[in-house]
């Protein structure tokens, strides 16, 4: 694969992203929710309720519990809007190599997610330190920071890949966003399903951010990050297979 066509495909994806307000609004919303809610909660309760102090990650990532829905929407929008408007056919005509077209979307999504992860995680750490104080020598905190950063690009890629597999913007938005926000939490509350629910990608990724162990979790923090990475790889591969089939089926 030559560098020229790949760079052109990536440039086309970047232009689409920067010129469609709905696409760049999603990561900005994710950043605002994650850092803003974390700051508000810590300013309001941090000095009175020290329960999160048992595991500093509880206070640091409180806003992410809301912001990661917008992170999921970022991945959905990177490809979902093209299915919704049928512009996917135009995109695939401009870049006939389906793998190259899909790969450019993945590269944009990974880069965007990484930047978002750095900004959101660093911002959350800083506001917690500014409001209630944070001991940066706490064991596991460096790993927690890394997991918080990597959670974002992996969530973007998971949702991008699953949207490609569904081939439908509305279905992806209606299925994935409630699942990320409430679905796995509900599953975790069902006794018979709780054991399996901890292996879902968002649960595993969020556990990787914890600094302490949690009863009932059958893996370590690094393993949680690896579990989410495996889900990411599976979603990316599934999306690739779907895009290749879309080439054969046409409109």
């Amino acid at each position: 694969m030559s560098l020229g066509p790949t760079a052109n495909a990536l440039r086309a994806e970047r232009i689409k992203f920067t010129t469609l307000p709905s696409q760049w609004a999603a990561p900005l919303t994710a950043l605002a929710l994650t850092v803003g809610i974390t700051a508000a909660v810590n300013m309001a309760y941090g000095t009175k309720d020290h329960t999160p102090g048992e595991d500093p990650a509880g206070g640091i990532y409180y806003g992410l519990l809301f912001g990661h829905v917008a992170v999921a929407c970022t991945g959905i929008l990177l490809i979902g809007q093209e299915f919704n408007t049928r512009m996917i056919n135009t995109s695939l005509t401009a870049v006939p190599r389906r793998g190259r077209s899909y790969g450019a979307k993945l590269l944009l999504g990974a880069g965007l997610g990484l930047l978002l992860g750095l900004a959101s995680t660093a911002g959350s750490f800083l506001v917690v330190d500014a409001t209630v104080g944070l001991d940066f020598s706490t064991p596991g905190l460096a790993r927690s920071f890394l997991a918080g950063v990597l959670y974002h690009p992996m969530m973007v890629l998971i949702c991008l890949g699953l949207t490609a597999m569904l081939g439908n913007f509305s279905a992806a938005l209606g299925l994935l966003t409630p699942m990320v926000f409430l679905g796995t939490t509900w599953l975790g509350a069902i006794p018979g399903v709780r054991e399996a629910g901890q292996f879902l990608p968002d649960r595993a990724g969020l556990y990787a951010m914890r600094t302490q162990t949690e009863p009932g979790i059958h893996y370590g923090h690094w393993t949680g990050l690896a579990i989410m990475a495996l889900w990411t790889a599976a979603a990316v591969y599934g999306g690739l297979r779907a895009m290749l089939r879309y080439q054969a089926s046409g409109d």
Side-chain angles (χ1 to χ4, degrees):
M1 183 182 294
S2 63
L3 181 61
T6 303
N8 288 336
L10 182 58
R11 179 174 177 272
E13 295 300 327
R14 178 185 60 79
I15 291 172
K16 282 186 284 186
F17 172 77
T18 55
T19 54
L20 292 173
S22 58
Q23 291 204 1
W24 50 259
L28 290 179
T29 301
L31 178 61
L33 286 173
T34 300
V35 179
I37 292 177
T38 295
V41 168
N42 279 275
M43 285 189 292
Y45 301 105
T47 57
K48 300 176 182 179
D49 182 3
H50 294 283
T51 302
E54 298 173 4
D55 190 332
I60 295 170
Y61 295 108
Y62 191 88
L64 182 60
L65 299 177
F66 302 88
H68 70 174
V69 179
V71 178
C73 289
T74 299
I76 295 169
L77 287 165
L78 285 176
I79 191 170
Q81 281 191 324
E82 292 190 46
F83 283 114
N84 190 46
T85 61
R86 310 309 298 171
M87 284 298 294
I88 188 70
N89 298 313
T90 303
S91 296
L92 295 178
T93 300
V95 185
R97 293 282 296 273
R98 274 34 176 173
R100 178 177 288 139
S101 175
Y102 181 63
K105 296 179 189 298
L106 292 176
L107 286 173
L108 177 64
L112 179 63
L114 188 59
L115 289 174
L116 177 58
L118 282 168
S120 295
T121 307
S124 296
F125 269 68
L126 289 174
V127 297
V128 171
D129 185 47
T131 53
V132 300
L134 191 61
D135 183 3
F136 288 95
S137 65
T138 301
L141 201 60
R143 184 253 309 141
S144 175
F145 181 89
L146 177 63
V149 171
L150 294 180
Y151 180 90
H152 291 75
M154 287 195 287
M155 178 60 73
V156 169
L157 293 182
I158 287 172
C159 291
L160 194 159
L162 291 176
T163 303
M165 292 170 66
L166 292 169
N168 186 291
F169 172 72
S170 299
L173 199 63
L175 176 65
L176 297 178
T177 51
M179 180 60 69
V180 169
F181 187 49
L182 293 173
T184 57
T185 302
W186 286 349
L187 289 175
I190 302 173
V193 187
R194 186 179 299 135
E195 296 297 307
Q198 65 184 274
F199 292 95
L200 292 173
D202 63 321
R203 294 295 100 190
L206 290 171
Y207 183 66
M209 302 176 206
R210 309 293 290 183
T211 61
Q212 299 180 13
T213 58
E214 185 176 320
I217 302 296
H218 300 304
Y219 50 80
H221 298 99
W222 286 112
T223 304
L225 198 61
I227 290 171
M228 190 175 188
L230 288 174
W231 277 100
T232 304
V236 166
Y237 178 73
L240 174 61
R241 297 290 299 175
M243 292 296 288
L244 294 176
R245 287 197 300 270
Y246 189 88
Q247 177 186 19
S249 62
D251 297 338

